[in-house]
Amino acid sequence: MGKIGVWLIGARGSVATTAVAGAAAMRAGLAARTGCVTELPDFAGAELPGLGDLVFGGHDVVDTPLVKRAEQLAAAGVLPATLPGPVTAELEAAEARLRPAPAGGGRTAADQIVADLREFGEGLDHVVVVNVSSTEPPCAPHPAQESLAALEAHLDVLPASSLYAYAAFRAGCAFVDFTPSTGARLPALDELARTAGLPYAGRDGKTGETLLRSVLAPMFAQRGLNVLSWSGTNLLGGGDGATLADPGAASSKNASKQQVLEQNLGHAVDGEVHIDYVPALGDWKTAWDHVLFEGFLGARMTLQLTWQGCDSALAAPLVLDLARLTGKACRDGVAGPVAEFGFFFKDPAGDGPHDLASQYAALREWANR
Amino acid sequence: MGKIGVWLIGARGSVATTAVAGAAAMRAGLAARTGCVTELPDFAGAELPGLGDLVFGGHDVVDTPLVKRAEQLAAAGVLPATLPGPVTAELEAAEARLRPAPAGGGRTAADQIVADLREFGEGLDHVVVVNVSSTEPPCAPHPAQESLAALEAHLDVLPASSLYAYAAFRAGCAFVDFTPSTGARLPALDELARTAGLPYAGRDGKTGETLLRSVLAPMFAQRGLNVLSWSGTNLLGGGDGATLADPGAASSKNASKQQVLEQNLGHAVDGEVHIDYVPALGDWKTAWDHVLFEGFLGARMTLQLTWQGCDSALAAPLVLDLARLTGKACRDGVAGPVAEFGFFFKDPAGDGPHDLASQYAALREWANR
Amino acid sequence: MGKIGVWLIGARGSVATTAVAGAAAMRAGLAARTGCVTELPDFAGAELPGLGDLVFGGHDVVDTPLVKRAEQLAAAGVLPATLPGPVTAELEAAEARLRPAPAGGGRTAADQIVADLREFGEGLDHVVVVNVSSTEPPCAPHPAQESLAALEAHLDVLPASSLYAYAAFRAGCAFVDFTPSTGARLPALDELARTAGLPYAGRDGKTGETLLRSVLAPMFAQRGLNVLSWSGTNLLGGGDGATLADPGAASSKNASKQQVLEQNLGHAVDGEVHIDYVPALGDWKTAWDHVLFEGFLGARMTLQLTWQGCDSALAAPLVLDLARLTGKACRDGVAGPVAEFGFFFKDPAGDGPHDLASQYAALREWANR
Amino acid sequence: MGKIGVWLIGARGSVATTAVAGAAAMRAGLAARTGCVTELPDFAGAELPGLGDLVFGGHDVVDTPLVKRAEQLAAAGVLPATLPGPVTAELEAAEARLRPAPAGGGRTAADQIVADLREFGEGLDHVVVVNVSSTEPPCAPHPAQESLAALEAHLDVLPASSLYAYAAFRAGCAFVDFTPSTGARLPALDELARTAGLPYAGRDGKTGETLLRSVLAPMFAQRGLNVLSWSGTNLLGGGDGATLADPGAASSKNASKQQVLEQNLGHAVDGEVHIDYVPALGDWKTAWDHVLFEGFLGARMTLQLTWQGCDSALAAPLVLDLARLTGKACRDGVAGPVAEFGFFFKDPAGDGPHDLASQYAALREWANR
């Protein structure tokens, strides 16, 4: 089988750089496959595209070279200090396939993206576009988002993430949204994906607080314990921390965090979610959750969690997993949202279970069928 | 269908008193069914014995009346301050069915227990014996524990919990061990249960730290994250805290706590478990867990948990669940260990899955088949 | 020496009710003096007014009787279940001295408050007015707040807490602000207090997160450790939680929380403070703090804290301490802000040290001089 | 003024290597003085020996070169990745002054240590011997430890740390014990130090859990709050973790941790302290403390702390501080224990206050007098 192109929107960001460098390190035998779901024994028979089948390219608005970005990440402790050196060639190869993100929006930008994707796709079996750029504010609704026909005359109503999804489908590529942005989640784009026979998945990678919520909330439900409140505070440095400290950008993320609780508990739950920008944390994030619950005869009890993780290290292997799985979906001719990829997302596209255990089972079954 | 007897070993303890008072409160409409697994919609069609079908009796070595014990628990905030009053009649009815635990061991004690159970079982459909007494130290192995024939000549090699299991099976009763004691977990007793056509379940109710471990360890495994260490400290007041502060008694409990990790992660994990007796905590317990794990490219990350719960409030509804489910097992003629009850236990009897999600699914399916 | 009147603004609130009931319980020998600073050996020689010398009265906008409020607090676990009964007579005696808070503001309301205070003060040596009502939003600046002469013509520019301070001084009473409201902290009111020869103190009782900050921030400073960020989340139920969930009302509180850090560390520190209203917590509050600091050669380290306390139980004994200490200040003829009471406050009036240890030393010395 | 020699027992350990490399880095302007108490403005006028006046040497039982050790620490993230290179010359200079720790004990070993110290001291004003080697088990009492005369005939009753103290004093050097080992804390050695006119200090550097206890326990005391239990769990990797996981070696450390509570609270407190060896943590340590306390009217409340620190980064600057301060003590002719150095220690020699704030004040005053 042939190559799978992985086109990263935000290709010079920490997550993308870590994914590209990490894939190279694993291929070279310099790093274990820790954190890669598709490397688990459960997926050994799934005939997924191999790490060696992935070819990286992408768009970004900044132009710091990938090699430089990798050195910065190594200095910050995100990548091993010894890593960037041995994978310089692979980073430079990806660098040569990066293109500047088109300025502006609408039809002109879309055409440019389509052209870039088509050029990239030459000689590749399939291309998966993965959005790992900064989180957008929620997009304003517009009637033209409701159908493909209407949309074609109003591409300017699309936020950037959705313009990329549009262009991806027009260029015959699959689309994965790892951010909480709108991406492909508009009726007109869903119509386009189905019409074009292309899969998409998203949104908002589940790498910390929400991951924990998707295993702990089912536990409370299955034990008949009544969750009275679930509060969370997230401290983030790095680019996404700065973006999400803006209440507008944070609102869609927070909504999906509380939604996971509601879906798993069967009722809305009191409690707020805060995202604070703490620059000194760099690429590290800390989440504290406080759960107040009621047990037998009304006894009040609590659970507290503190999760301290490296954002890029948590996200990057999932980007590789999604690239490989979506590559398989392309090969299999899947069209529309792949609900079975809900395991990876806070706010999954398509209808699927909300607890992590069922999501894992659905993913495993999908991959091995 | 008829009545199910619930014979509590340690009938005047906090868990037993809370279970008896709580069952009465729920029957009288004075308390919600929070914390009761068998009251979840998933079990609505399972035709389990109703709360109103349960009749309580039991053994204990102390003789403080149940009404007094309930008042003590209300003063300590374990039971609602307003509860003991309205359920006095039910507590007194159970009181009349309590018998002193036989002194000594061996044949004489076994015969006494059998006689007490037979008397109690008059007019009841089935009797489920539930061990909620203090944790024993691990029992010394003896060849006579290996077969029923050998055992009959050496009943004195049985620790108290196993003598109760022996007597339960001899008296035609099911046996549930909610403690980490040996109970029915000896080949000779398994043989007896199967011969007598009686179900048993256990051991060591999963109500806090291990409950969390059985949902979080699978999460790490399913994400391909490499757990490097998992350390835990448990602070307990109350009777079980005093018992478990003894390293001998704690060792079986700690072994099952780490075993849950190993079973779910697929490898042994560094880290100790401490159980400290903190008298001022009374019936409350606090567990702190620290997990050090490795992600993509070796990034080190941590998860910390603090669980603050009321031991009796967590355990008592599960005792009622197990009584009802085991009553159904009796009705259905199940013999030997009921692996599908693994959802409730740290160290489940029989072969079953180790992650809570699969355990819940197995239980639900068993109950509804 | 004679009696000291304690006039509570918000007299039917949880803090006030707990203070009145607790004082009665201690006088009757029904409760230990835990939580009372003035009962420590360091204050044994200070000749403070005794608990038996305190006479309680106050204003409130609600009219639930104190006895009823005490029963509510006992049901919620704030007061011991057995307490309200034995102190009914004392609660009823205080009840008889409560007056409805005057509606409206300005001169009419001030006159009413003065009249109520004068009536209350009959036969008492001194009266200390203590504000334990809900937190106000920050007050809008107005030129008339700058001098007493200007203020007299514009009493309507005063927020409620400041109108009470004005009336207190006019009636010859001392004033203590236990809330973050403006209270006596205006130049015109300071002038009035000094002119009238009356002491005042405040503001914002230090009972949890800020208390911890005032001992931990000095530790970092004295060890030369560089605090990079200090973030906090407070979960509160109860009336003050609802009030403080309003960003306007919270802003003055949050400002003083971060100011304590700046004063002790010598520089501003990154990090936000959140106050979330979690109704199910009732009178309980949980504060989580996360401190990121840098040590030798730039090593990054963290401290996390979780404080779980009962707001009224933390505040009420300090109200009694402040009543007794301010009573002594009245006897000693102290006029203006008592800087030595900074030990009790987040944002102390007057010039004093900012670390708790020095504040304690200053208080002890003041009391014993 | 002249040079101060700093003779490190355990000179190739993580703390010593970090101290030597860090001193060089700071002298070269490559690192800020973060974590150095003697660099605070409060000590600017104290006329302490400068960092440039320190000359390092020492004993160790291992022979890995300091340069290699520094590279290992940089790879582990304890030292900055960029640090070892620029300070190679200083590490090699110290390397040349290291001597193998004498095998065996008693008189022969003592004589060897004395000879090594005398050789090292040539041309230096004073020498301060600092014990930063592994923790010893508690030493068995022996009558010969009670007086210098008796001791001289029985040097073999001394544990290694005390033999070093003996030899230090015999060689005219000051002695600082940064570990919980016995060191100079025997009557015979105190007599020797006083006779020889030499200062000593110790023991057991206060760098984490106990540091926090020495500021938080006074807070509870000053607020009249009744601490019911104080429990702690310490997770350590590195050499000291392995040593302290041995209950014998841990016992002296744990005793001093609980003693700090008793001294500050005025009464013994329930609660255990655990030290777990978690190899994967490397030089990092995590301490969790749980405090249960009682407030007004018996309300139960809790404080939890998690401290995550790099052991060497916390200890090394204090070793430099102590070297400089003890150098001053030598210059000033101080003999015997320097109680004013209690700020640095869990179990301070001499009579001094137990709360950190008073300890800091005492140190500052001593340094500036």
Side-chain angles (χ1 to χ4, degrees), chain B residues 175-200:
Chain B
F175 185 82
V176 174
D177 202 334
F178 206 78
T179 81
S181 302
T182 307
R185 301 291 283 277
L186 294 171
L189 296 176
D190 177 74
E191 183 185 342
L192 175 55
R194 292 178 191 268
T195 306
L198 290 164
Y200 70 87

Side-chain angles (χ1 to χ4, degrees), chain A residues 217-245:
Chain A
M219 178 195 81
F220 287 107
Q222 291 167 355
R223 280 295 174 98
L225 299 166
N226 183 22
V227 174
L228 300 173
S229 67
W230 198 311
S231 307
T233 295
N234 294 269
L235 311 179
L236 307 183
D240 219 34
T243 305
L244 293 168

